[in-house]
């Protein structure tokens, strides 16, 4: 087994063929030549595409999956699991925190006759509501709270109930944690974030331990049409080769930003799973190999947080995370997250740390100075 960086650089690369391109370009096709009885992998553009296949092979290597199915966005991938693999009458256990749109999908499941139970990510609280479950959905680390749950422990408990276990692996990426190796059945992610990391494409995927489950997920994609564009799939594959480099710099920068924030009296509740004093640390240290680029913290109120965001020069105000450019936002500006008004989600990028830290210091100073007037 080669190590992570080598795997990321080589993942899904084509066999060497003399005169062939080192990296095959994207295949743009809605229609393929197809005579007589339909046969072969490429029959119609919504069913399959060679550029997706190469990316899916690469992601399969990184996630330790039997098969991967890529989608147009993280939500298309999440919908394929929550809607495509459940039926009316099923019991589905979701986190009560985590990405709000996933929780909203739970409302749709309930409206279609599923029993939906929710419990927090922290302290493995979903373990208490697993009786009779058909599907357990975990999001660890959770966005934006950065709580962590024990994938191996919860998978074992859920499997004892006969449930499938899916983990939203968006924040960690497959180089941060491998849910299938920890016992989950599905690793689902938005590739829009750190995986592709350049803030320029939407993408999602479902990585499956069981090819039969992958067939059902693929059938859902073919039916509902949430397919990735070939250009997006190609750009995503290209981005994988630098994933380990980006994650290493971002994680280092994230810890430096977190330490700086902890040193400031006006900042409370600094969260990052790599900090030994963080409540998520004990489980994160066991199951994660890289801890991600998101730092959470709280300023005294919404007005101070807004002044801080406006004073930042290098760090842009935007909603997302995982990109090479640092961005931040006051999360309470959106409905759906139970966060303090001054809570900020800070996605730390690949800038030189001294520039990033200087920007944060001057913006905190400016936010507080303004307060005095
Ligand atoms: C944890 C998590 N899962 C899924 C998604 C949805 O991804 P997409 O925007 O690619 O649909 C997001 C988006 O922010 C997210 O943060």
């Amino acid at each position: 087994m080669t190590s992570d960086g080598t795997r990321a650089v080589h993942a899904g690369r084509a066999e060497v063929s003399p005169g062939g391109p080192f990296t095959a370009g994207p295949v743009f096709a809605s229609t393929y030549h197809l005579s007589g009885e339909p046969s072969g992998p490429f029959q119609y553009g919504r069913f399959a595409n060679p550029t997706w296949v190469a990316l899916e092979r690469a992601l399969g290597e990184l996630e330790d999956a039997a098969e991967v199915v890529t989608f147009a966005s993280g939500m298309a991938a999440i919908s394929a699991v929550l809607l495509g693999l459940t039926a009316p009458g099923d019991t589905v256990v979701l986190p009560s925190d985590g990405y709000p749109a996933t929780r909203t999908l739970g409302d749709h499941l309930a409206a279609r006759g599923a029993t939906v139970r929710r419990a927090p990510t922290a302290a493995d609280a979903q373990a208490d509501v697993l009786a009779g479950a058909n599907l357990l959905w975990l999001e660890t680390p959770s966005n934006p709270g950065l709580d962590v749950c024990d994938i191996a422990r919860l998978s074992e408990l859920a499997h004892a109930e006969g449930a499938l276990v899916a983990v939203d692996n968006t924040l960690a990426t497959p180089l941060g944690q491998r849910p299938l190796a920890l016992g989950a059945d599905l690793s689902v992610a938005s590739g829009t974030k750190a995986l592709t990391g350049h803030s320029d494409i939407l993408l999602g995927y479902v990585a499956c331990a069981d090819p039969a489950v992958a067939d059902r997920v693929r059938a859902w994609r073919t039916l509902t049409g949430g397919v990735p564009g070939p250009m997006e799939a190609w750009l995503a594959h290209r981005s994988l080769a630098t994933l380990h480099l980006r994650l290493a710099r971002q994680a280092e920068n994230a810890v430096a930003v977190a330490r700086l924030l902890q040193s400031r009296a006006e900042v409370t509740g600094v969260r990052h799973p790599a900090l030994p004093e963080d409540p998520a640390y004990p489980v994160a240290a066991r199951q994660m190999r890289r801890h991600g680029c998101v730092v959470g913290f709280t300023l005294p109120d919404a007005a101070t947080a807004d002044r801080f965001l406006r004073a930042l020069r290098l760090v842009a105000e935007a909603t997302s995370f995982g990109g090479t450019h640092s961005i931040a936002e006051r999360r309470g500006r959106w409905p759906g997250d139970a966060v303090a008004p001054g809570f900020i989600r800070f996605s730390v990028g690949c800038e030189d740390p001294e520039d990033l830290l200087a920007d944060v210091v001057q913006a905190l100073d400016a936010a507080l100075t303004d307060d005095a007037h």
Side-chain angles (χ1 to χ4, degrees), residues 27 29-50 52-53 218 221-222:
V27 176
S30 62
T31 312
Y32 304 98
H33 291 286
L34 183 70
S35 303
E37 285 302 310
S39 66
F42 305 116
Q43 302 176 2
Y44 179 62
R46 204 178 72 247
F47 302 174
N49 174 289
W52 311 345
V53 171
R218 200 176 295 105
R221 178 183 68 181
T222 298

Side-chain angles (χ1 to χ4, degrees), residues 73-75 78 99 139 143 168 170 190 192-193 202-203 321:
S73 67
M75 284 315 298
I78 292 169
Y99 188 54
E139 183 180 310
N143 166 31
D168 186 322
T170 301
S190 166
T192 310
K193 318 284 175 189
L202 285 153
L203 193 93
F321 57 85

Side-chain angles (χ1 to χ4, degrees), residues 13-332:
R13 291 282 148 210
E15 296 298 318
V16 173
S17 79
F22 199 80
T23 305
V27 176
F28 297 105
S30 62
T31 312
Y32 304 98
H33 291 286
L34 183 70
S35 303
E37 285 302 310
S39 66
F42 305 116
Q43 302 176 2
Y44 179 62
R46 204 178 72 247
F47 302 174
N49 174 289
T51 314
W52 311 345
V53 171
L55 173 62
E56 289 168 351
R57 199 179 328 118
L59 291 170
E61 288 172 29
L62 299 184
E63 286 276 8
D64 277 347
E67 289 182 29
V68 171
V69 187
T70 48
F71 285 87
S73 67
M75 284 315 298
I78 292 169
S79 307
V81 173
L82 287 181
L83 301 175
L85 298 184
T86 63
D90 279 0
T91 295
V92 179
V93 176
L94 298 178
S96 56
D97 47 5
Y99 188 54
T102 304
R103 284 182 274 131
T104 304
L105 270 183
D107 298 340
H108 286 270
L109 289 178
R112 286 161 175 74
T115 299
V116 177
R117 300 192 197 124
R118 296 177 170 92
T121 299
D124 294 353
Q126 287 168 282
D128 299 335
V129 292
L130 278 179
N134 301 92
L135 177 72
L136 169 64
W137 184 275
L138 307 175
E139 183 180 310
T140 181
S142 61
N143 166 31
L146 300 176
D147 285 319
V148 161
C149 59
D150 188 330
I151 296 172
R153 172 172 179 253
L154 289 165
S155 296
E156 208 176 308
L157 293 172
H159 287 156
E161 298 292 329
L164 276 178
V165 179
V167 178
D168 186 322
N169 205 26
T170 301
L171 204 142
T173 84
L175 294 194
Q177 74 194 1
R178 288 207 285 269
L180 304 186
L182 293 164
D185 304 287
L186 301 140
S187 177
V188 186
S190 166
T192 310
K193 318 284 175 189
L195 185 86
T196 59
H198 291 73
S199 309
D200 51 10
I201 58 175
L202 285 153
L203 193 93
Y205 68 85
V206 180
C208 308
D210 179 351
V213 174
D215 283 346
R216 294 170 63 198
V217 172
R218 200 176 295 105
W220 176 268
R221 178 183 68 181
T222 298
L223 181 68
T224 58
V227 298
M231 191 67 192
E232 279 79 359
W234 184 79
L235 283 170
H237 197 164
R238 199 172 190 268
S239 303
L240 293 184
T242 55
L243 180 58
H244 60 305
L245 300 172
R246 289 184 277 111
L247 291 184
R249 170 58 86 99
Q250 285 173 283
E252 227 171 84
N253 280 355
V255 170
V257 168
R259 289 289 178 220
L260 166 66
L261 291 166
Q262 284 177 324
S263 73
R264 301 283 299 215
E266 68 274 28
V267 177
T268 54
V270 178
R271 296 292 310 267
H272 187 271
L275 302 175
E277 63 277 22
D278 193 283
Y281 181 80
V283 177
R286 275 206 309 276
Q287 76 183 12
M288 298 183 76
R289 292 170 307 144
R290 294 171 178 80
H291 294 80
C293 62
V294 180
V295 175
F297 64 98
T298 303
L299 288 170
D301 49 44
T304 311
D306 284 336
R307 280 198 303 276
F308 168 72
L309 293 168
R310 276 197 304 274
L312 288 165
R313 294 176 190 138
L314 202 56
V315 182
E317 189 177 358
T319 191
S320 193
F321 57 85
T324 52
H325 307 73
S326 292
I327 61 173
E329 72 169 335
R330 193 172 69 75
R331 201 55 198 170

